[in-house]
Amino acid sequence: MDDVADLQELNALLGSRVPIILVETHEEPRVLSMLSRIAQRTSLPMFHWSIADGIVRNGMDLAIYNTNELLDALKHVDKTPQAGLYVFCDAHPGLSNPVNVRLIREIALEHHETGRTLVFVSPKLEGLPSELLRLAAHFRPRLPSREDIRAIVDQEAQLYHSQSGEKARAERSHLDQLVMHLMGLETEDVRRMVRQALRPDGRIDGDDVRRVLASKLSMLGGAEALGFETGSVRFGDVGGLEQLKRWVTLRRAPFLDASTGAAADCPRGVVLLGVQGGGKSLAARAIAGEWGLPLMRLDFGALHNKYHGETERSLRQAIAVAEGMAPCVLWMDEIEKGLASSGGGESDGGVGRRVLGSLLTWMSERTKPVFVVATANDISQLPPELVRKGRFDEIFFVDFPGEAARRRIFEIHLRKRRLDPAAFDLAALAAHSEQFSGAEIEQAIVAASFETRARKAVLDTAAVTAELVRTRPLSTVMAERIDALRDWASTRSVMADAPETQDTVEPVQASTQG
């Protein structure tokens, strides 16, 4: 990629006589090359330090004696009359030492007299003392643009062709996905990932994209509370939920456009409220599959830690990883269980309130394309500030499937078990499964298959019907609670599944009043 803009910015910082420049990057060779070019152009002596080599003058192989330790290196810089550019690579472990901090500060305070500029280049520069930050300027090299990434793909494809004699191949959709998911990475990381996708067979396909995503997550450090899925669930695998499907489909292009900077407004997320087993989890997976994005699942149970501050730190780490994987779908499953303690009292030492505060701040201020899908069985346990407009775009209520949806669900699960739906009376099965959830329909098929296998019989409509008759669905067992949930949702949310006689979406204003 073109370094002209980075060179100009870095040169401007050096020209402004900032005593300390902080460069947080993994691309150390690229930064050293830019600094070397500036030093040569301005006739400025340049020295670089590492704990392995000590202080070495640019262009020479001989290191200054006894400067491997950071403290000794800083003492040398503090005492030498030599003006110049002193670049410290991976010095961050030593920046917590108060003696080192004091030496750095003394060098910086004398900058206007000595002309010694300190540059710290490290993958991680966090927690620096405020007395150094007041004397420092930050420089972060630009990340490759979409055009830069496409150029890297072309370069690697040409290299593969020259080495193997075969042309690289890729479908446009897979190539676009690869480029999209490499956004936000540094140049060498992009090049390495492209090679990883291309090298096995010279072809970039869906499996290669999924492998690159898994490598990207590993490179970001992962997070214990964050699961990762790249499943192939699509809306065709979900029965019913037609209004939700239409809503999500209309927002696919705006979300992907916003992730590339081509649109100002970005869809933010949805709450899926509803009965257990109604398909909320499957819908969350299908949204990611339909948009061709990785699904990150936030496990609130894994967030909690008995030590003070660790729960909030785990949340920040999980969010940082999700943003690093952007564009992606972040699924917060059964969110009410993770945040229920934030509603009242200090029984948890205030952890719930602090977690809620961190989550609310991120949801309001996030700029990365992370689409949040929160699933809940009881929205009354959630604080109203979480579900207001602006943090989520809409609240959808997932009820038990209607007759047409139940027929589709039977068809899906029969095909899943390599059975021909045409051999079953789907209309009769749908009629016998009124007020059944999708999960209960699937389990009826599973139980009936066990029964028929034990009798060495063939699974048929009668066997499934018999199992449906024996089942007491959740709509019967928890009738009062489900009725109360429906009453709440009837005027406060949008029905995820359209009435079977209705073809258009009638928006309903969501309320946060429980």
Side-chain angles (χ1 to χ4, degrees), residues 21 61 96 137 172 182 194 247-248 283 295 315 331 373 377 407 451 456 472 487 503:
I21 298 176
D61 294 329
S96 59
R172 173 59 60 181
L182 293 178
V194 171
W247 189 96
V248 170
L295 179 70
L315 176 62
W331 173 23
V373 179
N377 297 318
R407 291 182 61 168
E451 290 283 343
K456 300 188 184 311
R472 293 294 176 267
D487 288 342
D503 295 323

Side-chain angles (χ1 to χ4, degrees), residues 301-312 314 348-349 351 354:
L303 279 179
H304 288 278
N305 191 296
K306 65 181 180 179
Y307 296 107
H308 181 77
E310 285 299 299
T311 300
E312 302 92 297
S314 296
D348 63 351
V351 172
R354 293 195 297 272

